[in-house]
């Protein structure tokens, strides 16, 4: 019987986790969460449903919470959540549990995996030495989670006050119009890769240059993946860029965009 893992990713952290979990439990369909992801999966016959997402300032990304609120899922014997984060997951998993409970879906297990932090709109990526340690540590955690998910271990997500205060705070810290702060340098070659990796479909090209439409999730995919590092946000021109080392740029391109 098939499993489904829904994932949201900007720079590959959650995609890597989803791929690794899927390979270990077997017979798994990976579905990327974007603004155009299909919303009706009721016809699917599945044994496990997983949802993997990063944590943005203690909360689930807006695009993910909207997806969870609207998606129609099939009956499943086991539902699990995985939050990837550079620091604390705060109330992200409980936020996901609350959303799904309103749809009469019970979450059986919730997990947190510490991954390399990569919000270059606020701080530089971690050093190469720390990156290696973080990737190795996350690999061990992924193996443990895969084993527990495979055995349908119950690890209920506890109620958290953070799940009530983090979402509105995240909206304040990451307003949709915060993309006004993105800048494009002359080194831009007009390749359009930024548009093709944006899960919110928030970028269009004007005279071959990216233009943001004020519906940003701040996943930083456009900034991180630009081949010329021509996209800047605040102090990012002084910092490096990050893509998960086991994920290729081609895997981050959203195939639905023409």
């Amino acid at each position: 019987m098939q499993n489904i893992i829904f994932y949201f990713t900007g720079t590959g952290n959650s995609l890597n986790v989803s791929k690794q979990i899927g390979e270990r439990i077997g017979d798994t369909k990976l579905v990327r969460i974007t603004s155009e992801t299909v919303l009706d999966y009721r016809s699917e016959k599945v044994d496990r449903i997983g949802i993997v997402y990063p944590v943005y300032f203690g909360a689930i990304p807006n695009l993910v919470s909207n997806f969870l609120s609207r998606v129609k899922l099939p009956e499943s014997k086991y539902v699990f959540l995985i939050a990837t984060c550079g620091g604390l997951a705060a109330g992200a998993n409980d936020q996901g549990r609350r959303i799904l409970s309103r749809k009469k879906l019970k979450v059986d297990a919730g997990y947190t995996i510490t991954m390399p932090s990569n919000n270059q709109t606020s701080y530089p990526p971690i050093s190469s030495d720390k990156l290696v340690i973080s990737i190795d540590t996350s690999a061990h955690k992924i193996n443990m989670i895969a084993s527990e998910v495979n055995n349908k271990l119950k690890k209920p997500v506890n109620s958290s006050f953070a799940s009530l205060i983090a979402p509105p705070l995240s909206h304040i810290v990451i307003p949709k119009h915060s993309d006004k702060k993105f800048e494009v340098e002359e080194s831009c070659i007009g390749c359009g890769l930024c548009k093709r990796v944006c899960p919110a479909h928030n970028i269009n090209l004007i005279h071959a240059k990216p233009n943001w439409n004020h519906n940003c999730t701040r996943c930083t995919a456009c900034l991180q993946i630009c081949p010329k590092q021509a996209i800047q946000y605040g102090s990012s021109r002084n910092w490096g860029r990050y893509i998960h080392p086991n994920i290729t740029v081609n895997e981050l391109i959203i195939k639905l965009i023409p």
Side-chain angles (χ1 to χ4, degrees):
M1 187 175 289
Q2 190 182 61
N3 308 297
I4 296 181
I5 296 179
F6 298 96
Y7 71 93
F8 176 84
T9 197
T11 58
N13 281 347
S14 294
L15 172 55
N16 178 71
V17 169
S18 301
K19 287 178 62 178
Q20 296 299 316
I21 297 290
E23 289 173 5
R24 285 159 176 74
I25 65 176
D27 194 18
T28 298
K29 176 181 180 180
L30 299 183
V31 178
R32 185 171 183 177
I33 299 173
T34 74
S35 61
E36 292 187 358
T37 303
V38 173
L39 292 173
D40 194 340
Y41 294 87
R42 289 173 295 182
S43 63
E44 302 268 1
K45 296 185 181 300
V46 298
D47 198 28
R48 301 172 183 84
I49 295 175
I51 302 156
V52 184
Y53 42 75
V55 178
Y56 293 167
F57 296 96
I60 293 175
N62 293 338
L63 197 150
V64 178
S65 61
N66 290 338
F67 171 79
L68 293 181
S69 296
R70 299 169 60 201
V71 68
K72 297 176 181 178
L73 296 173
E75 292 185 4
S76 170
K77 296 179 180 178
Y78 188 81
V79 177
F80 64 96
L81 308 177
I82 301 178
T84 64
C85 57
L88 296 175
N93 279 341
D94 187 39
Q95 182 188 356
R97 180 193 66 79
R98 289 174 185 272
I99 294 172
L100 292 176
S101 68
R102 293 195 289 268
K103 303 166 70 69
K104 310 301 181 184
L105 284 171
K106 181 179 180 296
V107 171
D108 295 289
Y111 298 95
T112 299
I113 301 180
T114 301
M115 302 290 287
S117 56
N118 56 94
N119 181 7
Q120 264 82 304
T121 63
S122 301
Y123 46 76
I126 63 176
S127 67
S128 56
D129 291 342
K130 290 182 178 180
L131 174 63
V132 172
I133 295 172
S134 180
I135 295 298
D136 288 345
T137 302
S138 66
H140 290 297
K141 187 71 176 287
I142 289 169
N143 284 331
M144 180 273 289
I145 293 173
S147 176
E148 293 188 358
V149 167
N150 195 48
N151 291 309
K152 297 182 180 177
L153 185 72
K154 304 285 187 176
K155 294 189 72 169
V157 178
N158 296 323
S159 295
S160 166
F161 180 65
S163 69
L164 298 177
I165 62 173
L169 288 176
S170 180
H171 281 274
I172 293 172
V173 177
I174 312 176
K176 292 182 177 181
H177 62 269
S178 64
D179 57 13
K180 292 179 180 179
K181 295 183 180 180
F182 280 111
E183 302 175 39
V184 184
E185 297 183 333
E186 290 298 321
S187 56
C188 172
I189 57 175
C191 66
L193 188 57
C194 51
K195 173 184 175 180
R196 298 168 67 197
V197 298
C198 177
H201 295 179
N202 184 49
I203 298 173
N204 64 313
L205 302 180
I206 298 178
H207 304 302
K209 305 296 182 183
N211 178 71
W212 289 264
N213 297 313
H214 313 321
N215 194 33
C216 185
T217 64
R218 288 271 288 280
C219 71
T220 74
C222 58
L223 182 149
Q224 307 281 16
I225 295 170
C226 175
K228 294 298 183 179
Q229 293 191 19
I231 296 175
Q232 307 295 346
Y233 192 107
S235 299
S236 65
R237 58 177 45 85
N238 302 318
W239 301 330
R241 298 295 189 265
Y242 172 85
I243 299 175
H244 190 285
N246 296 334
I247 299 298
T248 66
V249 170
N250 189 58
E251 289 179 283
L252 296 174
I253 293 174
I254 298 168
K255 306 303 187 292
L256 291 175
I257 297 180

